[in-house]
Amino acid sequence: GSGLAKWLASFTRLFPLWTLVAAGFGVRFPVTCAALGTPAAFQRGLGLLMLAMGLSLKPQDLGRAVQSPGALALNALCCFGLMPLLAVIIGEWLHAPYFSAAGGVDD
């Protein structure tokens, strides 16, 4: 593969490290990162994450998914039933603002 592809693969593999670095930066410099905690920023970030995940799919991935209707049904049940229910329960437990508990989609 190309040098760029190898670099991107290494960068991606280190995602947990980048997450910890970003979290540490936020803890160390909360005022600098305060604008990232707004509902609008949270929604934009969530949308960007969803777009990036969708762009990573290949036609073969979709073909494999269609061949497993039971897995698709379980995924739909979890995505549209279990996860929202858990978000509400955990959000209430943590006294989180609605936009955080609902995955940033409050409109």
Side-chain angles (χ1 to χ4, degrees), residues 24 32 39 42-43 54 88 94:
T32 303
F42 188 80
Q43 290 172 343
V88 170
L94 295 175

Side-chain angles (χ1 to χ4, degrees), residues 55-89:
L55 290 175
S56 70
L57 290 174
K58 299 180 186 83
Q60 299 89 339
D61 298 330
L62 297 175
R64 281 195 310 273
V66 171
Q67 293 174 354
S68 303
L72 284 176
L74 179 60
N75 181 44
L77 178 66
C78 290
C79 286
F80 301 114
L82 181 62
M83 288 174 37
L85 178 63
L86 288 174
V88 170
I89 291 169

Side-chain angles (χ1 to χ4, degrees), residues 2-96:
S2 72
L4 177 61
K6 288 180 182 178
W7 184 87
L8 287 172
S10 296
F11 184 83
T12 303
R13 257 191 310 279
L14 293 173
F15 182 75
L17 173 66
W18 308 135
T19 302
L20 290 173
V21 167
F25 187 84
V27 168
R28 178 70 177 96
F29 304 103
V31 174
T32 303
C33 298
L36 297 174
T38 65
F42 188 80
Q43 290 172 343
R44 283 191 291 274
L46 184 61
L48 183 61
L49 175 65
M50 292 169 65
L51 174 65
M53 292 298 295
L55 290 175
S56 70
L57 290 174
K58 299 180 186 83
Q60 299 89 339
D61 298 330
L62 297 175
R64 281 195 310 273
V66 171
Q67 293 174 354
S68 303
L72 284 176
L74 179 60
N75 181 44
L77 178 66
C78 290
C79 286
F80 301 114
L82 181 62
M83 288 174 37
L85 178 63
L86 288 174
V88 170
I89 291 169
I90 293 169
E92 288 291 323
W93 180 56
L94 295 175
H95 305 288

